[in-house]
Amino acid sequence: MPRLQLERLLHSQGFGSRKECRVLIRRGRVAIAGETVDDPFREIEADGLVFAVDGEDWIWQAKAYLMLNKPAGYECSHQPKHHASVYALLPPPLNGRGVQSLGRLDEDTTGLLLFSDDGQFIHAISSGKRKVPKIYRVTAKHAVDDGQIAALLAGVQLADEPAPLAAAGCERVGEREILLTVNEGRYHQVKRMVAAAGNRVEALCRVAVGGLALPADLAPGKWRWLDADDLDRLRSPAAAS
Ligand code: URA
């Protein structure tokens, strides 16, 4: 059970340098259980702690694990070129503690995007070796026919790839809609696979990573913490959606 001085505790949660956190506390902007704590050196039990900064509640997290429902029009980059950054959708303390997205979605792709500041976790989930399945709802320009589905499942050859890439799953859910599961995370992979199969992606939404599905009640642009069950689901086989 970590006991930390309040100043260090806030610093660990992304609220600024230790000096900035000390100022925040001394100015009476930090409360615990409804009581303002203005002593930066008060020792606090961090595990399970709920604290408020400027009236907003935070739960102490040793490491940050979160999901965002990415809207279209945002780039997965700290230095976006043409659009806003997905990091602008997260509150400052999360950026302050250095969360990074697990892989990237294109600017026009929507849906489930995960973030963490746990380097080992980021590597484990995003590394190609782990083969974590990602499910995309693809809206195609033309009706998706059986031949295209068969081609996606059998494997399509993409330029710059040594061997054909096969979808791990492909289910038609509408005349122009499929749920496509891929285990890799190559550049524009879904768009290029669908094009190679003879169609074209008009809209792309990631609906699941591993067994973790995008919650129906998480509005575009909103984020939430992942709990222990979410983390288990992430490591389990692909979610049916
Ligand atoms: N495949 C794509 O083509 N784009 C994405 O954003 C994700 C997967």
Side-chain angles (χ1 to χ4, degrees):
M1 295 263 175
R3 276 183 81 77
L4 289 176
Q5 290 179 337
L6 186 55
E7 171 189 303
R8 285 177 185 269
L9 189 148
L10 284 190
H11 172 62
S12 74
Q13 302 298 286
F15 286 86
S17 66
R18 282 184 50 195
K19 194 170 165 204
E20 286 164 339
C21 291
R22 198 177 315 152
V23 171
L24 205 66
I25 297 162
R26 288 223 163 105
R27 291 198 174 146
R29 292 167 59 189
V30 180
I32 295 173
E35 179 209 339
T36 299
V37 181
D38 61 6
D39 174 5
F41 306 112
R42 164 108 61 102
E43 296 251 332
I44 312 270
E45 172 56 55
D47 234 6
L49 176 75
V50 180
F51 60 97
V53 179
D54 295 330
E56 187 178 350
D57 278 345
W58 294 87
I59 300 171
W60 183 81
Q61 315 269 357
K63 291 284 179 197
Y65 306 97
L66 51 131
M67 62 162 82
L68 170 78
N69 184 353
K70 180 190 175 295
Y74 286 83
E75 291 180 32
C76 291
S77 165
H78 286 285
Q79 275 98 35
K81 293 204 174 75
H82 304 292
H83 300 85
S85 164
V86 287
Y87 294 97
L89 296 166
L90 302 178
L94 293 182
N95 288 312
R97 62 188 291 174
V99 300
Q100 303 292 330
S101 69
L102 277 69
R104 292 176 176 215
L105 293 176
D106 297 336
E107 168 274 317
D108 54 354
T109 301
T110 59
L112 184 58
L113 184 61
L114 305 173
F115 293 82
S116 180
D117 60 358
D118 178 344
Q120 280 186 340
F121 169 80
I122 295 175
H123 180 72
I125 301 295
S126 359
S127 126
K129 281 191 209 130
R130 184 75 171 262
K131 292 202 182 305
V132 177
K134 276 118 351 214
I135 307 182
Y136 294 87
R137 188 172 56 242
V138 178
T139 307
K141 183 170 167 69
H142 311 288
V144 184
D145 63 33
D146 291 347
Q148 290 168 1
I149 291 180
L152 288 165
L153 289 169
V156 286
Q157 184 63 53
L158 305 183
D160 306 335
E161 286 296 333
L165 279 181
C170 185
E171 185 194 339
R172 193 184 355 245
V173 288
E175 199 195 11
R176 292 191 300 120
E177 273 198 353
I178 50 173
L179 286 177
L180 189 73
T181 306
V182 297
N183 289 335
E184 310 80 7
R186 303 283 205 285
Y187 181 67
H188 292 331
Q189 182 172 343
V190 172
K191 290 174 184 166
R192 292 195 297 148
M193 284 177 71
V194 170
N199 208 320
R200 188 191 158 101
V201 171
E202 279 213 330
L204 192 57
C205 176
R206 184 154 70 187
V207 295
V209 177
L212 179 64
L214 178 68
D217 61 356
L218 188 66
K222 297 292 177 198
W223 70 277
R224 75 159 169 78
W225 297 111
L226 301 183
D227 61 24
D229 287 346
D230 293 327
L231 291 171
D232 282 348
R233 284 189 200 103
L234 194 53
R235 296 183 183 102
S236 63
S241 38

